[in-house]
């Protein structure tokens, strides 16, 4: 790995060394041979040729304006072998300076071209890659100034690879999860068609409806999961009144709670949360749905909002608890994994709801705590959000 800066300095040093070598050669010639030396004669001859190359009117004007004996001549065209004096020296210096700049530019340009040659190879390699190829880009022979860019790009490729793997795993697991309820729908429908007894047929149709509801719920969760996989959009977040959001959501569950004889208790203290409203709605909906599914018969579900102190900051929180059988302490950290179901759980579920909660909490920088629920039974899930800055 070579630095572009180092190559540029090396080229500049080489050009400077060449100039100094010429200078010392000229100086040595002056010391050894005096004023009449090959260097002086050659430069004077170069000046004569440069002056003669100019248009006659311009060359005559330069010679006439120059002091000294050269000005009394009839011009360079009349005396081509005579030293043209000051105008020739000026043209010689101009020509030499131009040659020096061209040499330096050639060396520096060559250094840049050689240094960037590995990038052309990398560009061709990246252009020829398949869309799904996420292997790291090799950094051999890459200039050190560009190595951090290649490293950052490789980090991005690693993230893309992780996202693609997660997506493939999710699709495979989702296909497996959907296959079972779809098979159940087919089975219940066929059994109902073949059943002659109206009572038995009605029972099968009720099971079919329940299976349809479970499948619909699973599809909704899978769509929510796919939406969240796209990542958060903090620029679209707004500050919302948490109690008002909870009241609106509990209204969606009121009919279902009445059918299951479950009491919904809002314990709402004023608090505000800066968030993606749709995502927090998904979070609350899954927490309440989970509590109602796994709570006790004729149980209770409490939804709380408020602030909790942490140091000098007040952090808003959302909390849902139930009085069901609860979750063993050793299993509490795993229930937020995708498609994980607690062993021995009687209630049916997909194992996606709490993983959605964990994903949304992580996107909002929130912290989840899980403990015992009402009266030491059931489950209490609290999501604590970062403190909202005070409004001026």
């Amino acid at each position: 790995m070579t630095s572009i800066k180092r190559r540029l300095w090396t080229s500049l040093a080489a050009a400077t060394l060449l100039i100094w070598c010429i200078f010392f050669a000229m100086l040595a010639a002056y010391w050894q041979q005096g004023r009449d030396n090959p260097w002086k004669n050659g430069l004077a001859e170069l000046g004569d040729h440069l002056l003669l190359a100019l248009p006659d009117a311009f060359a005559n004007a330069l010679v006439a304006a120059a002091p000294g004996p050269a000005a009394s001549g009839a011009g360079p065209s009349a005396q081509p072998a005579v030293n043209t004096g000051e105008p020739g020296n000026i043209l010689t210096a101009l020509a030499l300076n131009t040659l020096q700049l061209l040499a330096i530019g050639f060396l520096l340009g060559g250094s840049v071209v050689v240094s960037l040659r590995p990038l052309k190879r990398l560009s061709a390699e990246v252009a020829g890659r398949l869309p799904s190829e996420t292997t790291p880009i090799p950094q051999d022979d890459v200039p050190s100034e560009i190595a951090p860019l290649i490293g950052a790009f490789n980090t991005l490729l690693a993230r893309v690879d992780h996202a693609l793997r997660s997506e493939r795993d999710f699709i495979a697991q989702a296909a497996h999860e959907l296959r079972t309820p779809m098979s159940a729908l087919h089975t219940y429908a066929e059994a109902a068609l073949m059943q002659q007894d109206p009572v038995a047929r009605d029972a099968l149709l009720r099971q079919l409806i329940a299976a349809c509801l479970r499948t619909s719920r699973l599809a909704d969760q899978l769509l929510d999961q796919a939406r969240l996989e796209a990542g958060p959009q903090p620029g679209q977040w707004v500050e919302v009144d948490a109690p008002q959001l909870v009241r609106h959501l509990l209204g969606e569950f009121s009919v279902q709670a009445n059918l299951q004889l479950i009491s919904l208790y809002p314990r709402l203290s004023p608090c505000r949360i800066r968030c993606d409203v749709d995502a927090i709605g998904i979070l609350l909906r899954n927490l309440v749905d989970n509590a109602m599914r796994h709570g006790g018969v004729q149980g209770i579900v409490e939804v709380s909002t408020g602030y909790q102190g942490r140091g000098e900051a007040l952090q808003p929180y959302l909390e849902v608890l139930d009085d069901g059988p609860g979750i063993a302490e050793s299993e509490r950290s795993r229930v937020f994994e995708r498609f994980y179901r607690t062993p021995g759980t009687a209630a049916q579920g997909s194992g996606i709801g709490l993983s959605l909660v964990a994903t949304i909490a992580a996107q909002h920088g929130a912290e989840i705590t899980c403990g015992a629920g009402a009266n030491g039974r059931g489950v209490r899930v609290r999501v604590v959000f970062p403190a909202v800055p005070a409004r001026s």
Side-chain angles (χ1 to χ4, degrees):
M1 184 182 297
T2 305
S3 169
I4 297 178
K5 182 179 179 180
R6 181 179 177 182
R7 281 179 170 162
L8 292 177
W9 278 110
T10 301
S11 300
L12 187 60
T16 305
L17 181 62
L18 177 62
I19 293 171
W20 277 95
C21 287
I22 296 174
F23 168 75
F24 282 116
M26 295 173 63
L27 188 62
Y30 272 95
W31 281 345
Q32 294 178 2
Q33 302 177 20
R35 296 178 59 86
D36 189 17
N37 60 77
W39 281 103
K40 181 179 180 181
N41 295 333
L43 293 176
E45 185 177 353
L46 175 62
D48 293 341
H49 286 293
L50 292 174
L51 192 60
L52 289 173
L54 296 176
D56 290 343
F58 187 61
N60 291 333
L62 286 178
V63 173
S72 61
S77 60
Q79 298 178 347
V82 179
N83 192 323
T84 54
E86 189 68 24
N89 293 338
I90 293 175
L91 292 175
T92 301
L94 178 62
L96 293 178
N97 288 334
T98 302
L99 289 176
Q100 290 176 5
L101 291 176
L102 289 175
I104 292 174
F106 177 78
L107 291 174
L108 295 181
S111 300
V112 173
V113 170
V114 172
S115 299
L116 297 181
R117 190 173 296 162
L119 290 184
K120 296 180 67 176
R121 174 178 55 81
L122 289 178
S123 299
E125 180 183 339
V126 172
R129 285 190 170 200
L130 296 175
S132 59
E133 188 176 354
T134 56
T135 54
I137 297 175
Q139 301 187 43
D140 301 336
D141 300 328
V142 173
S144 58
E145 290 86 353
I146 303 176
L149 175 63
I150 302 298
F153 192 71
N154 284 337
T155 301
L156 178 61
L157 285 177
R159 293 176 182 173
V160 172
D161 181 67
H162 176 72
L164 290 176
R165 290 178 183 273
S166 298
E167 182 179 355
R168 286 192 292 265
D169 293 341
F170 173 73
I171 291 174
Q173 292 176 340
H176 174 72
E177 293 295 326
L178 283 171
R179 190 176 294 114
T180 301
M182 294 303 292
S183 298
L185 291 177
H186 183 264
T187 301
Y188 288 140
E190 283 192 339
L193 286 174
M194 298 172 59
Q195 184 58 250
Q196 301 296 326
D197 183 9
V199 176
R201 184 168 57 248
D202 290 344
L204 288 172
L205 290 175
R206 282 192 291 270
Q207 290 178 318
L208 177 61
I209 293 174
C212 288
L213 292 175
R214 289 195 300 270
T215 305
S216 176
R217 175 62 177 159
L218 175 60
D220 288 341
Q221 290 179 325
L222 292 175
L223 291 174
D224 290 339
Q225 184 71 49
R227 174 183 176 274
L228 294 174
E229 290 291 340
Q233 301 291 333
Q236 301 178 4
W237 292 1
V238 295
E239 189 174 320
V240 299
D241 182 71
Q244 181 179 357
L245 184 63
V246 170
R247 292 189 192 98
H248 175 75
L249 182 131
L250 290 182
E252 299 178 8
F253 286 93
S254 59
V255 175
Q256 181 181 347
N258 291 333
L259 292 175
Q260 299 179 8
L261 302 178
I262 294 176
S263 300
L264 296 177
Y265 292 108
R267 310 290 187 187
L268 308 177
S269 298
C271 87
R272 302 187 68 84
I273 302 173
R274 186 177 181 275
C275 62
D276 179 344
V277 179
D278 293 335
I280 295 304
I282 295 172
L283 179 145
L284 276 172
R285 193 173 290 109
N286 280 280
L287 285 178
V288 174
D289 179 76
N290 188 77
M292 293 177 61
R293 287 176 181 273
H294 299 278
V297 179
Q298 298 183 353
I300 62 172
V301 173
E302 292 185 7
V303 182
S304 305
T305 64
Y307 289 101
Q308 72 172 33
R310 178 170 292 181
E312 297 182 356
L314 291 177
Q315 296 181 282
Y317 70 84
L318 299 172
E319 182 180 87
V320 178
L321 63 86
D322 61 66
D323 62 345
I327 303 173
E329 189 172 353
S330 60
E331 299 288 330
R332 289 174 184 172
S333 61
R334 299 201 59 192
V335 295
F336 295 98
E337 298 176 6
R338 186 187 296 172
F339 298 116
Y340 180 78
R341 298 187 185 91
T342 305
T345 301
Q348 294 182 342
S350 61
I352 299 178
L354 291 182
S355 71
L356 290 174
V357 171
T359 300
I360 295 170
Q363 291 180 350
H364 286 75
E367 178 184 350
I368 299 178
T369 58
C370 184
N375 301 321
R377 303 181 60 222
V379 178
R380 178 194 305 266
V381 178
R382 173 174 288 196
V383 183
V384 183
F385 296 84
V388 176
R391 291 180 294 177
S392 57

